Amino acid sequence: MTQSLVVGVDAGATSTRVAVHALDGTRVAYTRAGAGNPTAHGLAKAVAAIEEALAAALRPHDGGRVVGSVAGIAGRVTEMVPALAKVWADHGIAEGPRHIGDVPIAYVAGSAEPDGSLLLSGTGAVAARIEGYELGVIADGLGWLLGDEGSGFWIGRAAAKAVVDAFDRGLPVTAIDAPSDAPGARGPVGGPLVTLVAGHFLGDERPATPRGVADRIVRLAQADHMRLAALSSLVSQAAAAGDSMAAGIVREAADRLVATLRRVHVSGPVVLAGSVLTSEGPIRQAVMELLDGETVTTARDAAGAAAWLAARALLPEADAKARHAAFTAPPVAT
């Protein structure tokens, strides 16, 4: 008997993933392509990325076997609906995908329960109440310039600001290369975070004065502000090494993230998503401690979650929940 298939799409600002599953949860294809966010990259580029991933996923399969599709798209625009309907039709799929925002998809990647909350911290940060697998109330997610408190960008900017301030107040240039146990390397302004952040921006360059270090870091950050987000992992590294400045940033980031969550959370599970909260480290640990007493899960594969939502409409509720783990299991690296 010909096996029915469902398709899930996770189209984000950096990459697009397409998962194809049988209704029993078996993953039969998983592909990746470029960015699929139409707001960030334009409609044509986003549609082309999704079409590329879909074509690769369906290459061994007949599109006519697809009985349901869900597309989770960051920055959704209305024009995506007819554009993807055409792509689906071109591949022999009877109906275009049902469109859902990326926030509910991220929640479903961590829970099969219809009601709960999402706390996401990656480059940006957002919290949301999910009601019936759909977006209810949202908090933050306001972007790096005016919001996203506790995000990777926020954490990185806090680290760069602290290090720049230390050099502006006269921290010696030699602190960049001083080991953490050297005289003057610890204390309120020195230590591993200074070494890591300054090294990230300066490499082997060493300005002649402390003010020169501060000015150079500021210019480099202004030239490419996304370099700040890359500092998040360095903050975790420094905090794990006992750096007091980094530990303070970790605590404040966790406090702000959980405060955002408290604005929307009522009941049900809390799903942690985004690289800052799904990676083991001091920030995730601090958030988990603040959420003691809540049911906390971690988001897994979002494309598989979208496929699960497509399958859920075709399955008895008990069967759908029993197969959630199979749909959302992380793909095996190849």
Side-chain angles (χ1 to χ4, degrees), residues 52-95:
E52 177 187 343
L54 179 69
L58 289 180
R59 191 165 291 128
H61 308 288
D62 175 11
R65 294 166 56 192
V66 176
V67 294
S69 305
V70 167
I73 300 174
R76 173 190 169 189
V77 294
T78 304
E79 291 83 355
M80 287 290 280
V81 176
L84 290 189
K86 182 180 184 304
V87 169
W88 260 235
D90 289 344
H91 287 279
I93 304 174
E95 288 188 38

Side-chain angles (χ1 to χ4, degrees), residues 135-194:
L135 180 62
V137 180
I138 194 165
D140 205 346
L142 297 172
W144 64 269
L145 185 60
L146 299 177
D148 288 351
E149 295 191 350
S151 67
F153 187 94
W154 184 95
I155 293 164
R157 181 174 56 189
K161 184 176 180 179
V163 170
V164 164
D165 181 69
F167 283 108
D168 187 44
R169 293 173 183 274
L171 182 70
V173 176
T174 53
I176 298 173
D177 302 303
S180 59
D181 57 352
R186 288 194 178 273
V189 294
L193 189 64
V194 168

Side-chain angles (χ1 to χ4, degrees), residues 2-313:
T2 302
Q3 193 175 42
S4 296
L5 302 175
V6 289
V7 172
V9 179
D10 172 33
T14 57
S15 66
T16 296
R17 294 171 172 82
V18 169
V20 180
H21 288 253
L23 289 177
D24 66 359
T26 302
R27 180 176 287 145
V28 299
Y30 194 93
T31 54
R32 297 174 174 85
N37 183 329
T39 301
H41 300 284
L43 180 66
K45 184 174 180 179
V47 171
I50 295 171
E51 197 282 331
E52 177 187 343
L54 179 69
L58 289 180
R59 191 165 291 128
H61 308 288
D62 175 11
R65 294 166 56 192
V66 176
V67 294
S69 305
V70 167
I73 300 174
R76 173 190 169 189
V77 294
T78 304
E79 291 83 355
M80 287 290 280
V81 176
L84 290 189
K86 182 180 184 304
V87 169
W88 260 235
D90 289 344
H91 287 279
I93 304 174
E95 288 188 38
R98 180 161 58 102
H99 292 252
I100 295 179
D102 57 327
V103 170
I105 294 294
Y107 168 82
V108 173
S111 177
E113 294 302 317
D115 305 315
S117 298
L118 173 76
L119 179 59
L120 183 151
S121 178
T123 302
V126 67
R129 184 189 310 157
I130 304 300
E131 300 167 342
Y133 304 109
E134 295 184 357
L135 180 62
V137 180
I138 194 165
D140 205 346
L142 297 172
W144 64 269
L145 185 60
L146 299 177
D148 288 351
E149 295 191 350
S151 67
F153 187 94
W154 184 95
I155 293 164
R157 181 174 56 189
K161 184 176 180 179
V163 170
V164 164
D165 181 69
F167 283 108
D168 187 44
R169 293 173 183 274
L171 182 70
V173 176
T174 53
I176 298 173
D177 302 303
S180 59
D181 57 352
R186 288 194 178 273
V189 294
L193 189 64
V194 168
T195 299
L196 291 168
V197 171
H200 170 80
F201 282 104
L202 302 179
D204 294 331
E205 179 185 357
R206 294 294 179 268
T209 65
R211 178 67 190 206
V213 173
D215 286 342
R216 183 62 174 153
I217 292 175
V218 167
R219 291 192 188 98
L220 290 170
Q222 289 174 337
D224 181 7
H225 65 266
M226 290 310 297
R227 290 184 66 174
L228 294 172
L231 299 178
S232 175
S233 62
L234 302 184
V235 173
S236 292
Q237 183 179 338
D243 186 285
S244 60
M245 187 190 302
I249 294 170
V250 166
R251 286 193 300 272
E252 186 173 358
D255 286 343
R256 289 177 181 244
L257 286 168
V258 174
T260 301
L261 174 70
R262 297 298 185 199
R263 290 166 52 193
V264 301
H265 183 58
V266 176
S267 61
V270 174
V271 174
L272 301 183
S275 58
V276 172
L277 292 178
T278 58
S279 303
E280 291 297 335
I283 298 172
R284 174 182 167 88
Q285 180 180 344
V287 167
M288 291 291 289
E289 290 172 357
L290 291 172
L291 293 179
D292 184 41
E294 300 284 356
T295 299
V296 181
T297 65
T298 302
R300 304 202 300 171
D301 185 65
W308 180 80
L309 283 174
R312 177 182 167 272

